[in-house]
Short mmCIF file of all heavy atoms in Angstrom, two decimals:
data_model
loop_
_atom_site.label_atom_id
_atom_site.label_comp_id
_atom_site.label_asym_id
_atom_site.label_seq_id
_atom_site.Cartn_x
_atom_site.Cartn_y
_atom_site.Cartn_z
N MET A 22 -27.63 -100.44 26.37
CA MET A 22 -27.94 -99.10 26.24
C MET A 22 -27.66 -98.28 27.60
O MET A 22 -28.04 -98.73 28.62
CB MET A 22 -29.43 -98.88 25.88
CG MET A 22 -29.81 -99.23 24.47
SD MET A 22 -29.44 -97.97 23.29
CE MET A 22 -28.40 -98.89 22.29
N PRO A 23 -27.13 -97.12 27.37
CA PRO A 23 -26.91 -96.30 28.70
C PRO A 23 -28.09 -95.61 29.35
O PRO A 23 -27.92 -95.18 30.42
CB PRO A 23 -25.78 -95.30 28.19
CG PRO A 23 -26.25 -95.12 26.80
CD PRO A 23 -26.63 -96.46 26.30
N ILE A 24 -29.25 -95.64 28.64
CA ILE A 24 -30.38 -94.99 29.31
C ILE A 24 -31.34 -96.13 29.78
O ILE A 24 -31.61 -97.05 29.11
CB ILE A 24 -31.28 -94.28 28.16
CG1 ILE A 24 -30.38 -93.13 27.52
CG2 ILE A 24 -32.53 -93.70 28.83
CD1 ILE A 24 -29.96 -92.00 28.65
N LYS A 25 -31.68 -95.98 31.14
CA LYS A 25 -32.46 -97.01 31.75
C LYS A 25 -33.90 -96.37 32.03
O LYS A 25 -33.93 -95.28 32.40
CB LYS A 25 -31.84 -97.34 33.15
CG LYS A 25 -30.44 -97.86 32.95
CD LYS A 25 -30.29 -99.21 32.23
CE LYS A 25 -28.82 -99.54 32.28
NZ LYS A 25 -28.59 -100.66 31.21
N TYR A 26 -34.87 -97.10 31.80
CA TYR A 26 -36.30 -96.72 32.05
C TYR A 26 -36.88 -97.42 33.16
O TYR A 26 -38.15 -97.41 33.28
CB TYR A 26 -37.08 -97.05 30.73
CG TYR A 26 -36.52 -96.51 29.41
CD1 TYR A 26 -35.84 -97.15 28.58
CD2 TYR A 26 -36.62 -95.03 29.25
CE1 TYR A 26 -35.29 -96.39 27.43
CE2 TYR A 26 -36.19 -94.35 28.19
CZ TYR A 26 -35.53 -95.11 27.23
OH TYR A 26 -34.93 -94.64 26.13
N ASP A 27 -36.21 -97.92 34.14
CA ASP A 27 -36.73 -98.66 35.24
C ASP A 27 -37.80 -97.76 36.00
O ASP A 27 -38.76 -98.13 36.49
CB ASP A 27 -35.74 -99.24 36.22
CG ASP A 27 -34.84 -100.26 35.45
OD1 ASP A 27 -35.23 -100.86 34.53
OD2 ASP A 27 -33.69 -100.40 35.91
N LYS A 28 -37.36 -96.51 36.26
CA LYS A 28 -38.14 -95.55 36.99
C LYS A 28 -39.51 -95.29 36.27
O LYS A 28 -40.56 -95.16 36.98
CB LYS A 28 -37.39 -94.21 37.02
CG LYS A 28 -36.22 -94.12 37.94
CD LYS A 28 -35.63 -92.67 37.89
CE LYS A 28 -34.43 -92.47 38.78
NZ LYS A 28 -33.97 -91.17 38.77
N LEU A 29 -39.46 -95.23 34.87
CA LEU A 29 -40.66 -95.04 34.11
C LEU A 29 -41.49 -96.24 34.31
O LEU A 29 -42.79 -96.06 34.63
CB LEU A 29 -40.30 -94.74 32.67
CG LEU A 29 -41.62 -94.86 31.79
CD1 LEU A 29 -42.66 -93.64 32.10
CD2 LEU A 29 -41.06 -94.58 30.23
N LEU A 30 -41.15 -97.40 34.19
CA LEU A 30 -41.84 -98.61 34.25
C LEU A 30 -42.57 -98.68 35.71
O LEU A 30 -43.75 -99.07 35.87
CB LEU A 30 -41.07 -99.83 33.83
CG LEU A 30 -40.56 -99.92 32.54
CD1 LEU A 30 -39.61 -101.03 32.35
CD2 LEU A 30 -41.69 -100.04 31.58
N ALA A 31 -41.75 -98.30 36.75
CA ALA A 31 -42.23 -98.41 38.15
C ALA A 31 -43.31 -97.40 38.37
O ALA A 31 -44.44 -97.57 38.86
CB ALA A 31 -41.15 -98.18 39.08
N LEU A 32 -43.20 -96.09 37.74
CA LEU A 32 -44.24 -95.08 37.84
C LEU A 32 -45.42 -95.37 37.07
O LEU A 32 -46.53 -95.17 37.60
CB LEU A 32 -43.55 -93.78 37.41
CG LEU A 32 -44.34 -92.45 37.70
CD1 LEU A 32 -44.68 -92.34 39.15
CD2 LEU A 32 -43.56 -91.25 37.13
N LEU A 33 -45.34 -95.94 35.94
CA LEU A 33 -46.47 -96.29 35.21
C LEU A 33 -47.28 -97.34 36.03
O LEU A 33 -48.52 -97.30 36.10
CB LEU A 33 -46.02 -96.95 33.83
CG LEU A 33 -45.68 -95.89 32.79
CD1 LEU A 33 -45.10 -96.73 31.62
CD2 LEU A 33 -46.81 -95.16 32.32
N LYS A 34 -46.56 -98.34 36.61
CA LYS A 34 -47.26 -99.33 37.47
C LYS A 34 -47.94 -98.73 38.59
O LYS A 34 -49.11 -99.01 38.81
CB LYS A 34 -46.27 -100.40 37.88
CG LYS A 34 -46.83 -101.53 38.61
CD LYS A 34 -45.78 -102.58 38.94
CE LYS A 34 -46.53 -103.80 39.70
NZ LYS A 34 -45.47 -104.77 39.98
N VAL A 35 -47.38 -97.83 39.32
CA VAL A 35 -47.90 -97.11 40.50
C VAL A 35 -49.21 -96.40 39.96
O VAL A 35 -50.16 -96.38 40.85
CB VAL A 35 -46.89 -96.23 41.13
CG1 VAL A 35 -47.53 -95.26 42.08
CG2 VAL A 35 -45.80 -96.88 41.76
N LYS A 36 -49.10 -95.78 38.91
CA LYS A 36 -50.16 -95.00 38.36
C LYS A 36 -51.36 -95.73 37.76
O LYS A 36 -52.26 -95.22 37.19
CB LYS A 36 -49.81 -93.76 37.35
CG LYS A 36 -48.69 -92.85 38.09
CD LYS A 36 -49.29 -91.52 38.51
CE LYS A 36 -48.33 -90.63 39.07
NZ LYS A 36 -48.86 -89.27 39.26
N GLY A 37 -51.13 -96.99 37.67
CA GLY A 37 -52.14 -97.83 37.09
C GLY A 37 -52.10 -98.09 35.44
O GLY A 37 -53.30 -98.39 34.92
N TYR A 38 -50.98 -97.77 34.91
CA TYR A 38 -50.86 -97.84 33.46
C TYR A 38 -50.30 -99.17 33.13
O TYR A 38 -49.12 -99.25 33.06
CB TYR A 38 -50.10 -96.71 32.80
CG TYR A 38 -50.78 -95.41 32.88
CD1 TYR A 38 -50.57 -94.43 33.86
CD2 TYR A 38 -51.79 -95.20 31.88
CE1 TYR A 38 -51.27 -93.24 33.91
CE2 TYR A 38 -52.42 -93.95 31.98
CZ TYR A 38 -52.17 -93.09 33.00
OH TYR A 38 -52.95 -91.75 32.98
N THR A 39 -51.13 -100.24 32.72
CA THR A 39 -50.60 -101.53 32.32
C THR A 39 -50.37 -101.28 30.81
O THR A 39 -50.71 -100.36 30.13
CB THR A 39 -51.68 -102.57 32.51
OG1 THR A 39 -52.87 -102.07 31.73
CG2 THR A 39 -52.06 -102.61 34.06
N SER A 40 -49.72 -102.47 30.29
CA SER A 40 -49.46 -102.38 28.74
C SER A 40 -50.72 -102.39 28.05
O SER A 40 -50.97 -101.72 26.94
CB SER A 40 -48.68 -103.64 28.42
OG SER A 40 -49.18 -104.81 28.75
N TYR A 41 -51.74 -103.05 28.52
CA TYR A 41 -53.22 -103.15 27.98
C TYR A 41 -53.68 -101.76 27.88
O TYR A 41 -54.15 -101.16 26.94
CB TYR A 41 -54.06 -104.07 28.83
CG TYR A 41 -55.48 -104.05 28.18
CD1 TYR A 41 -55.79 -104.62 27.06
CD2 TYR A 41 -56.45 -103.24 28.97
CE1 TYR A 41 -57.09 -104.59 26.54
CE2 TYR A 41 -57.76 -103.21 28.45
CZ TYR A 41 -58.10 -103.87 27.32
OH TYR A 41 -59.29 -103.79 26.80
N ARG A 42 -53.58 -101.01 29.12
CA ARG A 42 -54.22 -99.65 29.11
C ARG A 42 -53.50 -98.72 28.22
O ARG A 42 -54.13 -97.89 27.49
CB ARG A 42 -54.22 -99.19 30.56
CG ARG A 42 -54.80 -97.77 30.70
CD ARG A 42 -54.75 -97.29 32.10
NE ARG A 42 -55.36 -95.93 32.24
CZ ARG A 42 -55.30 -95.30 33.45
NH1 ARG A 42 -54.76 -95.72 34.42
NH2 ARG A 42 -55.80 -94.03 33.42
N ILE A 43 -52.23 -98.78 28.15
CA ILE A 43 -51.41 -97.90 27.24
C ILE A 43 -51.73 -98.08 25.81
O ILE A 43 -51.86 -97.20 25.08
CB ILE A 43 -49.79 -98.16 27.47
CG1 ILE A 43 -49.39 -97.66 28.84
CG2 ILE A 43 -49.00 -97.56 26.35
CD1 ILE A 43 -48.05 -98.11 29.34
N ARG A 44 -51.98 -99.48 25.47
CA ARG A 44 -52.37 -99.77 24.08
C ARG A 44 -53.86 -99.34 23.73
O ARG A 44 -54.16 -98.63 22.87
CB ARG A 44 -52.27 -101.29 23.88
CG ARG A 44 -52.37 -101.76 22.44
CD ARG A 44 -52.21 -103.21 22.16
NE ARG A 44 -52.94 -104.00 23.10
CZ ARG A 44 -52.29 -104.71 24.07
NH1 ARG A 44 -51.00 -104.79 24.27
NH2 ARG A 44 -52.96 -105.64 24.88
N LYS A 45 -54.70 -99.48 24.75
CA LYS A 45 -56.12 -99.28 24.54
C LYS A 45 -56.30 -97.75 24.59
O LYS A 45 -57.13 -97.30 23.67
CB LYS A 45 -56.93 -99.80 25.72
CG LYS A 45 -58.33 -99.52 25.63
CD LYS A 45 -59.16 -100.07 26.86
CE LYS A 45 -60.52 -99.52 26.79
NZ LYS A 45 -61.32 -99.97 28.05
N GLU A 46 -55.61 -96.96 25.30
CA GLU A 46 -55.85 -95.56 25.32
C GLU A 46 -54.75 -94.83 24.30
O GLU A 46 -54.81 -93.61 24.21
CB GLU A 46 -55.53 -95.03 26.75
CG GLU A 46 -56.61 -95.47 27.66
CD GLU A 46 -56.40 -94.98 29.13
OE1 GLU A 46 -55.60 -94.00 29.25
OE2 GLU A 46 -57.13 -95.56 30.00
N ASN A 47 -54.09 -95.54 23.52
CA ASN A 47 -53.16 -95.12 22.41
C ASN A 47 -52.28 -93.99 23.07
O ASN A 47 -52.01 -93.00 22.51
CB ASN A 47 -53.90 -94.54 21.29
CG ASN A 47 -53.13 -94.41 20.09
OD1 ASN A 47 -52.09 -95.10 20.01
ND2 ASN A 47 -53.45 -93.62 19.09
N ILE A 48 -51.75 -94.25 24.31
CA ILE A 48 -50.75 -93.38 24.86
C ILE A 48 -49.45 -93.20 24.12
O ILE A 48 -49.02 -92.15 23.84
CB ILE A 48 -50.58 -93.71 26.29
CG1 ILE A 48 -51.96 -93.60 27.09
CG2 ILE A 48 -49.46 -92.90 27.05
CD1 ILE A 48 -52.09 -94.06 28.53
N ILE A 49 -48.91 -94.35 23.97
CA ILE A 49 -47.70 -94.46 23.07
C ILE A 49 -47.82 -95.78 22.23
O ILE A 49 -48.63 -96.72 22.57
CB ILE A 49 -46.37 -94.57 23.82
CG1 ILE A 49 -46.42 -95.68 24.82
CG2 ILE A 49 -45.97 -93.23 24.53
CD1 ILE A 49 -45.02 -95.96 25.54
N GLY A 50 -47.15 -95.82 21.17
CA GLY A 50 -47.24 -97.01 20.21
C GLY A 50 -46.69 -98.26 20.93
O GLY A 50 -45.75 -98.19 21.83
N GLN A 51 -47.23 -99.37 20.36
CA GLN A 51 -46.68 -100.71 21.00
C GLN A 51 -45.22 -100.88 20.76
O GLN A 51 -44.50 -101.45 21.63
CB GLN A 51 -47.49 -101.84 20.36
CG GLN A 51 -47.33 -103.10 21.02
CD GLN A 51 -47.89 -103.11 22.49
OE1 GLN A 51 -48.73 -102.37 22.88
NE2 GLN A 51 -47.26 -103.94 23.33
N ALA A 52 -44.72 -100.43 19.61
CA ALA A 52 -43.24 -100.50 19.31
C ALA A 52 -42.49 -99.66 20.20
O ALA A 52 -41.42 -100.20 20.72
CB ALA A 52 -42.97 -100.15 17.82
N THR A 53 -42.86 -98.55 20.56
CA THR A 53 -42.26 -97.72 21.57
C THR A 53 -42.27 -98.16 22.97
O THR A 53 -41.21 -98.29 23.67
CB THR A 53 -42.99 -96.28 21.49
OG1 THR A 53 -42.87 -95.67 20.28
CG2 THR A 53 -42.27 -95.36 22.51
N TYR A 54 -43.37 -98.83 23.28
CA TYR A 54 -43.51 -99.51 24.58
C TYR A 54 -42.53 -100.67 24.76
O TYR A 54 -41.78 -100.82 25.73
CB TYR A 54 -44.88 -99.91 24.93
CG TYR A 54 -45.06 -100.49 26.34
CD1 TYR A 54 -45.10 -99.68 27.33
CD2 TYR A 54 -45.12 -101.88 26.51
CE1 TYR A 54 -45.21 -100.17 28.65
CE2 TYR A 54 -45.41 -102.32 27.75
CZ TYR A 54 -45.37 -101.47 28.77
OH TYR A 54 -45.46 -102.01 30.13
N LYS A 55 -42.32 -101.37 23.63
CA LYS A 55 -41.34 -102.55 23.69
C LYS A 55 -40.02 -101.97 23.71
O LYS A 55 -39.19 -102.64 24.42
CB LYS A 55 -41.53 -103.22 22.28
CG LYS A 55 -40.75 -104.56 22.09
CD LYS A 55 -40.96 -105.33 20.91
CE LYS A 55 -40.08 -106.46 20.89
NZ LYS A 55 -40.30 -107.29 19.68
N LYS A 56 -39.79 -100.84 23.15
CA LYS A 56 -38.30 -100.29 23.22
C LYS A 56 -38.02 -99.85 24.60
O LYS A 56 -36.94 -100.09 25.12
CB LYS A 56 -38.25 -99.04 22.30
CG LYS A 56 -37.98 -99.34 20.92
CD LYS A 56 -37.90 -98.12 20.00
CE LYS A 56 -37.94 -98.33 18.66
NZ LYS A 56 -37.80 -97.09 17.77
N ILE A 57 -39.00 -99.32 25.34
CA ILE A 57 -38.90 -98.87 26.75
C ILE A 57 -38.58 -100.22 27.55
O ILE A 57 -37.64 -100.16 28.44
CB ILE A 57 -40.13 -98.19 27.27
CG1 ILE A 57 -40.14 -96.84 26.48
CG2 ILE A 57 -40.03 -98.07 28.74
CD1 ILE A 57 -41.45 -96.10 26.72
N LYS A 58 -39.37 -101.25 27.38
CA LYS A 58 -39.24 -102.49 28.09
C LYS A 58 -37.84 -103.14 27.86
O LYS A 58 -37.23 -103.58 28.80
CB LYS A 58 -40.31 -103.46 27.75
CG LYS A 58 -41.74 -103.11 28.22
CD LYS A 58 -41.95 -103.38 29.50
CE LYS A 58 -42.20 -104.76 29.84
NZ LYS A 58 -42.54 -105.05 31.22
N GLU A 59 -37.37 -103.03 26.72
CA GLU A 59 -35.98 -103.58 26.34
C GLU A 59 -34.91 -102.66 26.38
O GLU A 59 -33.69 -102.97 26.13
CB GLU A 59 -36.07 -104.12 24.88
CG GLU A 59 -37.20 -105.31 24.66
CD GLU A 59 -37.32 -105.66 23.28
OE1 GLU A 59 -36.66 -105.10 22.30
OE2 GLU A 59 -38.03 -106.71 23.05
N GLY A 60 -35.19 -101.39 26.85
CA GLY A 60 -34.08 -100.43 27.05
C GLY A 60 -33.49 -99.83 25.70
O GLY A 60 -32.40 -99.37 25.73
N GLY A 61 -34.39 -99.71 24.75
CA GLY A 61 -33.92 -99.06 23.43
C GLY A 61 -34.07 -97.64 23.45
O GLY A 61 -34.46 -96.98 24.50
N ASP A 62 -33.81 -96.89 22.38
CA ASP A 62 -34.03 -95.47 22.25
C ASP A 62 -35.33 -95.04 21.97
O ASP A 62 -35.97 -95.70 21.12
CB ASP A 62 -33.01 -95.11 21.22
CG ASP A 62 -31.60 -95.32 21.37
OD1 ASP A 62 -31.18 -95.26 22.51
OD2 ASP A 62 -30.73 -95.43 20.38
N ILE A 63 -35.81 -94.01 22.55
CA ILE A 63 -37.18 -93.42 22.30
C ILE A 63 -36.95 -91.96 22.09
O ILE A 63 -36.00 -91.31 22.45
CB ILE A 63 -38.12 -93.70 23.43
CG1 ILE A 63 -37.60 -93.03 24.74
CG2 ILE A 63 -38.42 -95.17 23.60
CD1 ILE A 63 -38.79 -93.11 25.84
N ASP A 64 -37.85 -91.38 21.25
CA ASP A 64 -37.88 -90.03 20.87
C ASP A 64 -38.31 -89.06 22.06
O ASP A 64 -38.92 -89.42 23.04
CB ASP A 64 -39.13 -90.01 19.90
CG ASP A 64 -39.26 -88.69 19.15
OD1 ASP A 64 -39.70 -87.81 19.76
OD2 ASP A 64 -38.78 -88.64 17.93
N THR A 65 -37.69 -87.90 21.83
CA THR A 65 -37.93 -86.83 22.98
C THR A 65 -39.37 -86.38 23.10
O THR A 65 -39.88 -86.14 24.05
CB THR A 65 -37.07 -85.65 22.76
OG1 THR A 65 -37.21 -85.14 21.53
CG2 THR A 65 -35.57 -85.91 22.99
N ARG A 66 -40.01 -86.57 21.99
CA ARG A 66 -41.56 -86.22 21.83
C ARG A 66 -42.29 -87.28 22.88
O ARG A 66 -43.22 -87.00 23.50
CB ARG A 66 -42.12 -86.31 20.49
CG ARG A 66 -41.57 -85.12 19.80
CD ARG A 66 -42.05 -85.24 18.25
NE ARG A 66 -41.37 -86.44 17.67
CZ ARG A 66 -41.24 -86.66 16.45
NH1 ARG A 66 -41.81 -85.98 15.48
NH2 ARG A 66 -40.64 -87.72 16.06
N THR A 67 -41.83 -88.58 22.79
CA THR A 67 -42.49 -89.59 23.57
C THR A 67 -42.11 -89.29 25.13
O THR A 67 -42.93 -89.38 25.93
CB THR A 67 -41.86 -90.96 23.24
OG1 THR A 67 -42.20 -91.18 21.81
CG2 THR A 67 -42.47 -92.06 24.06
N ILE A 68 -40.93 -88.92 25.36
CA ILE A 68 -40.58 -88.52 26.92
C ILE A 68 -41.42 -87.44 27.25
O ILE A 68 -41.90 -87.39 28.34
CB ILE A 68 -39.03 -88.13 26.88
CG1 ILE A 68 -38.15 -89.51 26.53
CG2 ILE A 68 -38.67 -87.62 28.22
CD1 ILE A 68 -36.78 -89.23 26.39
N ALA A 69 -41.65 -86.35 26.35
CA ALA A 69 -42.37 -85.13 26.77
C ALA A 69 -43.87 -85.63 27.03
O ALA A 69 -44.53 -85.24 28.00
CB ALA A 69 -42.36 -84.13 25.63
N LYS A 70 -44.38 -86.48 26.08
CA LYS A 70 -45.78 -86.97 26.25
C LYS A 70 -45.94 -87.74 27.64
O LYS A 70 -46.91 -87.58 28.41
CB LYS A 70 -46.14 -87.79 25.10
CG LYS A 70 -47.59 -88.13 25.10
CD LYS A 70 -47.95 -88.99 23.74
CE LYS A 70 -49.39 -89.38 23.70
NZ LYS A 70 -49.79 -89.96 22.48
N LEU A 71 -44.99 -88.66 27.99
CA LEU A 71 -45.01 -89.43 29.22
C LEU A 71 -44.88 -88.54 30.47
O LEU A 71 -45.53 -88.66 31.28
CB LEU A 71 -44.03 -90.44 29.27
CG LEU A 71 -44.17 -91.54 28.30
CD1 LEU A 71 -42.95 -92.37 27.94
CD2 LEU A 71 -45.33 -92.47 28.61
N CYS A 72 -44.10 -87.55 30.31
CA CYS A 72 -43.93 -86.49 31.49
C CYS A 72 -45.10 -85.83 31.66
O CYS A 72 -45.57 -85.52 32.87
CB CYS A 72 -42.83 -85.53 31.20
SG CYS A 72 -41.17 -86.21 31.43
N GLN A 73 -45.92 -85.49 30.60
CA GLN A 73 -47.08 -84.63 30.73
C GLN A 73 -48.13 -85.56 31.30
O GLN A 73 -48.84 -85.21 32.27
CB GLN A 73 -47.58 -84.19 29.34
CG GLN A 73 -48.87 -83.42 29.36
CD GLN A 73 -49.29 -82.95 28.07
OE1 GLN A 73 -48.96 -83.46 27.08
NE2 GLN A 73 -50.18 -81.89 28.03
N LEU A 74 -48.29 -86.85 30.80
CA LEU A 74 -49.22 -87.80 31.31
C LEU A 74 -48.99 -88.04 32.80
O LEU A 74 -49.95 -88.19 33.61
CB LEU A 74 -49.12 -89.12 30.60
CG LEU A 74 -49.93 -90.30 31.16
CD1 LEU A 74 -51.35 -90.08 30.66
CD2 LEU A 74 -49.29 -91.61 30.57
N LEU A 75 -47.66 -88.24 33.34
CA LEU A 75 -47.40 -88.69 34.64
C LEU A 75 -47.20 -87.46 35.53
O LEU A 75 -46.78 -87.63 36.74
CB LEU A 75 -46.27 -89.68 34.57
CG LEU A 75 -46.51 -90.90 33.87
CD1 LEU A 75 -45.17 -91.62 33.55
CD2 LEU A 75 -47.44 -91.77 34.47
N ASN A 76 -47.17 -86.23 35.01
CA ASN A 76 -46.85 -85.04 35.73
C ASN A 76 -45.48 -85.11 36.41
O ASN A 76 -45.47 -84.98 37.67
CB ASN A 76 -48.03 -84.74 36.78
CG ASN A 76 -47.91 -83.33 37.29
OD1 ASN A 76 -47.47 -82.51 36.66
ND2 ASN A 76 -48.42 -83.19 38.56
N CYS A 77 -44.45 -85.21 35.61
CA CYS A 77 -43.13 -85.49 36.18
C CYS A 77 -42.15 -84.85 35.26
O CYS A 77 -42.39 -84.35 34.16
CB CYS A 77 -42.85 -86.84 36.48
SG CYS A 77 -42.79 -87.96 34.97
N GLN A 78 -40.87 -84.86 35.66
CA GLN A 78 -39.73 -84.43 34.77
C GLN A 78 -39.04 -85.57 34.23
O GLN A 78 -39.14 -86.68 34.71
CB GLN A 78 -38.76 -83.68 35.75
CG GLN A 78 -39.40 -82.24 36.23
CD GLN A 78 -39.64 -81.33 35.07
OE1 GLN A 78 -38.77 -81.10 34.19
NE2 GLN A 78 -40.79 -80.70 35.08
N PRO A 79 -38.23 -85.32 33.17
CA PRO A 79 -37.43 -86.47 32.54
C PRO A 79 -36.64 -87.24 33.41
O PRO A 79 -36.57 -88.58 33.43
CB PRO A 79 -36.77 -85.89 31.42
CG PRO A 79 -37.56 -84.61 31.03
CD PRO A 79 -38.07 -84.18 32.24
N GLY A 80 -36.00 -86.65 34.35
CA GLY A 80 -35.15 -87.29 35.37
C GLY A 80 -35.99 -88.16 36.32
O GLY A 80 -35.40 -89.12 36.91
N ASP A 81 -37.26 -87.95 36.26
CA ASP A 81 -38.06 -88.88 37.14
C ASP A 81 -38.39 -90.19 36.50
O ASP A 81 -38.89 -91.22 37.13
CB ASP A 81 -39.44 -88.20 37.54
CG ASP A 81 -39.21 -86.92 38.30
OD1 ASP A 81 -38.30 -86.82 39.11
OD2 ASP A 81 -40.16 -86.06 38.15
N ILE A 82 -38.16 -90.30 35.15
CA ILE A 82 -38.62 -91.58 34.50
C ILE A 82 -37.49 -92.16 33.80
O ILE A 82 -37.62 -93.32 33.26
CB ILE A 82 -39.72 -91.25 33.48
CG1 ILE A 82 -39.25 -90.20 32.34
CG2 ILE A 82 -40.96 -90.79 34.10
CD1 ILE A 82 -40.26 -90.02 31.26
N LEU A 83 -36.26 -91.52 33.68
CA LEU A 83 -35.19 -92.15 33.16
C LEU A 83 -33.80 -91.83 33.70
O LEU A 83 -33.86 -90.80 34.36
CB LEU A 83 -35.08 -91.98 31.58
CG LEU A 83 -35.08 -90.39 31.01
CD1 LEU A 83 -33.64 -89.90 30.98
CD2 LEU A 83 -35.81 -90.36 29.69
N GLU A 84 -32.86 -92.64 33.52
CA GLU A 84 -31.58 -92.30 34.19
C GLU A 84 -30.37 -92.72 33.16
O GLU A 84 -30.62 -93.80 32.41
CB GLU A 84 -31.44 -92.93 35.38
CG GLU A 84 -31.33 -94.43 35.56
CD GLU A 84 -31.01 -94.83 36.92
OE1 GLU A 84 -30.42 -94.30 37.72
OE2 GLU A 84 -31.86 -95.91 37.24
N TYR A 85 -29.34 -92.18 33.18
CA TYR A 85 -28.14 -92.46 32.44
C TYR A 85 -27.31 -93.36 33.32
O TYR A 85 -26.91 -93.04 34.49
CB TYR A 85 -27.33 -91.27 32.13
CG TYR A 85 -26.07 -91.52 31.37
CD1 TYR A 85 -26.15 -91.91 30.06
CD2 TYR A 85 -24.91 -91.44 32.06
CE1 TYR A 85 -24.87 -92.19 29.43
CE2 TYR A 85 -23.66 -91.77 31.51
CZ TYR A 85 -23.72 -92.22 30.14
OH TYR A 85 -22.49 -92.47 29.50
N ALA A 86 -26.94 -94.45 32.84
CA ALA A 86 -25.86 -95.45 33.48
C ALA A 86 -24.88 -95.75 32.47
O ALA A 86 -25.16 -96.34 31.33
CB ALA A 86 -26.72 -96.67 33.91
N GLU A 87 -23.65 -95.44 32.74
CA GLU A 87 -22.48 -95.65 31.87
C GLU A 87 -22.39 -97.17 31.64
O GLU A 87 -22.47 -98.08 32.46
CB GLU A 87 -21.11 -95.16 32.54
CG GLU A 87 -21.10 -93.64 32.51
CD GLU A 87 -19.65 -93.17 32.75
OE1 GLU A 87 -18.73 -93.74 32.26
OE2 GLU A 87 -19.54 -92.26 33.46
N GLU A 88 -22.08 -97.44 30.33
CA GLU A 88 -21.83 -98.89 30.03
C GLU A 88 -20.49 -99.22 30.44
O GLU A 88 -19.51 -98.40 30.23
CB GLU A 88 -22.11 -98.96 28.53
CG GLU A 88 -23.45 -98.71 28.03
CD GLU A 88 -23.59 -98.89 26.49
OE1 GLU A 88 -22.67 -98.93 25.77
OE2 GLU A 88 -24.83 -98.97 26.02
N GLU A 89 -20.27 -100.39 30.72
CA GLU A 89 -19.05 -100.93 31.05
C GLU A 89 -18.22 -101.21 29.71
O GLU A 89 -18.72 -101.69 28.74
CB GLU A 89 -19.02 -102.27 31.75
CG GLU A 89 -19.68 -102.08 33.17
CD GLU A 89 -19.74 -103.47 33.98
OE1 GLU A 89 -18.87 -104.34 33.66
OE2 GLU A 89 -20.56 -103.57 34.91
N GLN A 90 -16.83 -100.79 29.86
CA GLN A 90 -16.08 -100.85 28.55
C GLN A 90 -15.36 -102.34 28.79
O GLN A 90 -14.89 -102.64 29.74
CB GLN A 90 -15.01 -99.84 28.57
CG GLN A 90 -15.56 -98.40 28.56
CD GLN A 90 -16.40 -98.14 27.25
OE1 GLN A 90 -15.91 -98.65 26.19
NE2 GLN A 90 -17.40 -97.50 27.38
N PRO A 91 -15.30 -102.95 27.66
CA PRO A 91 -14.64 -104.28 27.60
C PRO A 91 -13.09 -104.13 27.95
O PRO A 91 -12.63 -103.15 27.54
CB PRO A 91 -14.88 -104.75 26.24
CG PRO A 91 -15.30 -103.65 25.42
CD PRO A 91 -15.78 -102.57 26.33
N CYS A 92 -12.46 -105.08 28.58
CA CYS A 92 -11.18 -105.03 28.98
C CYS A 92 -10.35 -105.59 27.82
O CYS A 92 -10.71 -106.46 27.09
CB CYS A 92 -10.87 -106.06 30.16
SG CYS A 92 -11.71 -105.46 31.77
N ASN A 93 -9.29 -104.82 27.51
CA ASN A 93 -8.38 -105.33 26.45
C ASN A 93 -7.33 -106.27 26.88
O ASN A 93 -6.77 -106.25 27.81
CB ASN A 93 -7.86 -104.08 25.77
CG ASN A 93 -8.78 -103.31 25.04
OD1 ASN A 93 -9.84 -103.76 24.74
ND2 ASN A 93 -8.50 -102.10 24.75
#
């Protein structure tokens, strides 16, 4: 996937949001959290919710990284 969530995972850790706390406080669904961990696609509403929670902008939690094209 071309979207990377490494910044988000690092910021969640710094702010004390563990997977247990995210699940317990129902911040985002477990399936969505799994998608973030695995680099899957997430909804813009989820991005907005996380930005509000962490008081940041989308660029602070995700980045675009071009996928390598296979050689022919």
Side-chain angles (χ1 to χ4, degrees):
M22 288 280 120
I24 302 296
K25 306 291 182 199
Y26 301 103
D27 297 339
K28 291 180 178 181
L29 171 60
L30 294 170
L32 189 55
L33 286 169
K34 185 176 182 177
V35 166
K36 300 261 185 168
Y38 287 97
T39 62
S40 60
Y41 174 78
R42 182 176 176 192
I43 290 168
R44 186 174 56 250
K45 181 181 175 192
E46 295 179 13
N47 199 27
I48 294 168
I49 57 174
Q51 194 63 29
T53 302
Y54 185 72
K55 185 177 178 182
K56 286 180 186 179
I57 291 168
K58 294 280 284 183
E59 296 175 354
D62 295 330
I63 61 171
D64 188 283
T65 54
R66 291 173 293 197
T67 301
I68 295 169
K70 186 174 184 177
L71 290 167
C72 286
Q73 182 180 23
L74 174 74
L75 300 169
N76 191 31
C77 66
Q78 293 293 313
D81 297 330
I82 62 172
L83 54 90
E84 66 181 321
Y85 174 78
E87 285 194 42
E88 294 180 346
E89 292 184 24
Q90 299 298 320
C92 296
N93 290 339

